Amino acid sequence: MAFDDEDLIPTSIATTGDDAATDTEEGEGDKAQDFRLFASLATPGKRSQAAGKAIRRGEKDFESHGTRAQEGVLEASRAAMHDVLSYTRQHQPQGVMRGWYFPDRWADMPVETEQGERCANDRMARDRGSGRGLFARDRVVGLESDKSTMLSSMGRVVTSAEKSSPGWLKTWLLPEEALFLIERGTLDIWWPVRGIEHIFPADDSGGASSPGTENAEPWELGIPLSLQAAYALFIGRDGERGKVSLEKYQVYANLRRTGYKVLRATALSSLSPPQPTQTLWQWLFSIIREVPSLPALQHGNVSYGPLVRPSLYRSYIPVFEQLALVQRHKPAPFVASSMPEPQDPFKIHFHVWKSMSAFSKARPQPPDFQIAVVDARESHVPTLEQLDALLVSTPWDPPPRNDEGKTGAGFVYKRLKHGWRKAILAVVDRGLISYMRFGEMAFAEELLYCNTSVRPKAKRGGRAGRGRGGGRGRGRGRGN
């Protein structure tokens, strides 16, 4: 029912077409969330009923009517919002793991950067138990048990040379992994008041160290930490041991919540295919091919005269070949030795895999995506040199061979979209994450003028107006 100052809109002049679709989208965006439906989730008797229903948007009043019905609806929404925000999330005790914070346990391990380069040699790192992608120096949380399904794609066991050392054969977490598990309620983080030899005592028999918390009360060994304390312990600056920057953690948590498998970036086994060896005869024939012949000089571009030489052309292909003056880019699998190494923040930080059933965190397959995390407030738009260094550090991944040589707009777009090398920039602006994909493409390799010589098939019937029924009729018309 409309009020006196509100006139109804006639249906004859209602918005239709594209304007109606635009108004509908804008109207959906202006609607506020109906917290009364959220409140039903907190009600014990209605949780099962509300679990399968989608939360719809509420109706928004733009001006106060001064009626009791409007005030009642507004007060009910406020009370529902208060109940939702004050609701305490609970977790089952049998599904919660307990972790202990030992930041200096693996401080003497070799340094491993996010690109997989170590300061120590590979032999010493292998003897000390630091495998590729382990990042043992940054693993600061040890778990008492590893019975969670989340540990199939996070956490690693540091196999030290001293098998009887405390914490041996225990799962240790990186700071971003531990903080993510704490946020989702899977992990309880504790601050130890005793040494690691009391928490994870060594087993002299050569097996895994048995937990030392079975016969002692938890409060005698440590103090539980809150989520705020976990943020203070694990969030820091880039380069700090046992810490992760806030921007990198936000990207990591966002990818994990959407179902991806995320690991820190390491040096891939092979960035480009091996360069084929050349025999003596192949080298000689290559020299002969490089000598320009007289017909080649005649068809080449000269520094004077018209761009297109006067001649009789039966195809557009030689015309476009003469107009190709600018040197075009052609992707190559072999990286030049003079190419600089990628620098922060434009370098790969995370390897990302799509959700899969069989995933090995120790020996993962080639990643589906490679992501570099960039802070929008502290960085700028990357230059061409920075993008070149970033893309060269990624593996050589040309378009599928079964699409080579196929013409048509669909195949051309598919090859260009795939690219030869690709990387994703995760730009973080105060918690808002935007993903931008950059790739090495070769637009000049798609010669569109090669298809212009193919003539379209003529339609059946010859010229227009000459076929059956095309002439002017001379029959008698019907009278009135």
Side-chain angles (χ1 to χ4, degrees):
M1 177 178 179
F3 291 89
D4 297 337
D5 57 346
E6 296 180 358
D7 297 333
L8 294 176
I9 300 176
T11 57
S12 58
I13 60 174
T15 307
T16 58
D18 298 336
D19 296 337
T22 304
D23 295 341
T24 303
E25 294 178 358
E26 293 178 356
E28 290 292 335
D30 293 337
K31 292 182 180 180
Q33 296 288 347
D34 193 353
F35 280 92
R36 291 174 295 177
L37 297 179
F38 279 102
S40 61
L41 296 175
T43 305
K46 297 183 179 180
R47 289 181 184 176
S48 59
Q49 301 177 4
K53 297 181 180 179
I55 302 300
R56 63 177 181 85
R57 294 182 180 271
E59 298 179 359
K60 183 177 181 181
D61 292 335
F62 290 92
E63 61 183 42
S64 176
H65 297 158
T67 60
R68 293 182 179 179
Q70 188 185 42
E71 293 180 358
V73 172
L74 182 60
E75 186 64 27
S77 298
R78 290 174 178 171
M81 182 174 60
H82 180 271
D83 295 339
V84 170
L85 296 179
S86 60
Y87 177 74
T88 302
R89 187 175 58 177
Q90 299 178 356
H91 304 277
Q92 298 297 331
Q94 60 270 17
V96 178
M97 301 180 297
R98 183 163 58 180
W100 296 88
Y101 181 69
F102 290 103
D104 299 329
R105 176 61 186 91
W106 309 107
D108 57 343
M109 299 297 289
V111 178
E112 184 178 0
T113 64
E114 290 175 343
Q115 291 295 331
E117 300 174 358
R118 306 188 190 120
C119 295
N121 54 33
D122 294 339
R123 182 177 181 181
M124 184 184 67
R126 184 166 54 252
D127 294 340
R128 300 291 297 279
S130 177
R132 187 170 66 105
L134 185 59
F135 298 98
R137 285 172 52 88
D138 293 329
R139 299 191 178 273
V140 293
V141 177
L143 301 180
E144 292 184 358
S145 62
D146 51 356
K147 298 180 180 180
S148 175
T149 57
M150 297 293 297
L151 297 180
S152 61
S153 57
M154 61 175 57
R156 292 285 296 274
V157 176
V158 181
T159 55
S160 176
E162 301 176 0
K163 297 183 179 181
S164 59
S165 60
W168 182 63
L169 292 184
K170 287 294 181 180
T171 302
W172 291 81
L173 299 176
L174 292 171
E176 62 268 20
E177 298 173 344
L179 191 56
F180 175 73
L181 292 178
I182 295 172
E183 279 194 337
R184 71 184 307 271
T186 309
L187 176 66
D188 283 343
I189 187 69
W190 286 64
W191 180 279
V193 296
R194 296 186 182 183
I196 190 175
E197 62 276 1
H198 297 281
I199 307 297
F200 299 131
D203 189 2
D204 298 334
S205 60
S209 57
S210 59
T213 59
E214 296 180 355
N215 300 326
E217 293 294 334
W219 308 102
E220 299 177 0
L221 300 175
I223 303 172
L225 300 178
S226 62
L227 180 60
Q228 293 82 354
Y231 266 90
L233 291 176
F234 299 140
I235 299 299
R237 298 181 179 179
D238 291 330
E240 291 188 61
R241 185 180 58 83
K243 295 182 182 294
V244 63
S245 64
L246 180 60
E247 292 76 21
K248 290 183 180 179
Y249 172 71
Q250 289 173 343
V251 173
Y252 176 85
N254 177 259
L255 294 173
R256 291 290 308 188
R257 291 190 185 101
T258 50
Y260 291 98
K261 312 290 186 182
V262 186
L263 295 178
R264 286 193 181 185
T266 56
L268 300 177
S269 58
S270 178
L271 297 180
S272 60
Q275 188 172 5
T277 58
Q278 199 174 31
T279 62
L280 179 60
W281 292 105
Q282 293 175 348
W283 176 73
L284 291 175
F285 278 111
S286 64
I287 295 178
I288 297 175
R289 292 195 196 99
E290 293 176 357
V291 178
S293 59
L294 182 60
L297 293 175
Q298 292 177 356
H299 291 282
N301 297 316
V302 293
S303 59
Y304 58 90
L307 293 177
V308 180
R309 298 184 307 274
S311 178
L312 179 61
Y313 298 98
R314 301 182 182 273
S315 174
Y316 288 103
I317 295 179
V319 176
F320 283 105
E321 288 179 349
Q322 297 179 53
L323 294 177
L325 303 178
V326 181
Q327 184 179 2
R328 58 193 183 187
H329 171 71
K330 185 175 182 180
F334 310 108
V335 181
S337 57
S338 59
M339 180 63 64
E341 293 292 333
Q343 302 295 331
D344 276 328
F346 302 104
K347 71 175 184 178
I348 302 300
H349 297 118
F350 292 115
H351 288 168
V352 182
W353 291 263
K354 298 178 181 178
S355 180
M356 63 186 70
S357 58
F359 180 79
S360 176
K361 57 187 177 182
R363 294 181 178 86
Q365 60 184 11
D368 297 324
F369 310 100
Q370 301 187 74
I371 295 183
V373 182
V374 180
D375 186 5
R377 303 284 176 165
E378 300 294 336
S379 60
H380 50 78
V381 179
T383 62
L384 182 59
E385 291 76 10
Q386 290 174 335
L387 287 179
D388 286 341
L390 173 66
L391 293 175
V392 165
S393 64
T394 60
W396 171 256
D397 184 20
R401 292 184 176 271
N402 52 3
D403 293 339
E404 293 182 0
K406 295 183 179 180
T407 59
F411 292 103
V412 172
Y413 177 75
K414 184 178 180 181
R415 288 192 292 266
L416 292 177
K417 183 180 179 181
H418 185 278
W420 279 257
R421 285 187 174 94
K422 45 190 174 294
I424 297 177
L425 288 185
V427 183
V428 184
D429 187 4
R430 301 292 178 87
L432 182 62
I433 305 174
S434 301
Y435 297 96
M436 294 186 295
R437 181 180 181 271
F438 289 87
E440 182 183 12
M441 302 181 182
F443 290 93
E445 293 296 319
E446 303 294 339
L447 304 180
L448 302 181
Y449 57 81
C450 293
N451 301 327
T452 57
S453 59
V454 180
R455 295 184 178 182
K457 296 182 179 179
K459 296 183 179 179
R460 188 175 182 181
R463 296 182 181 179
R466 297 289 183 176
R468 182 179 300 178
R472 298 177 61 182
R474 294 185 180 180
R476 297 179 180 179
R478 295 183 180 181
N480 296 329

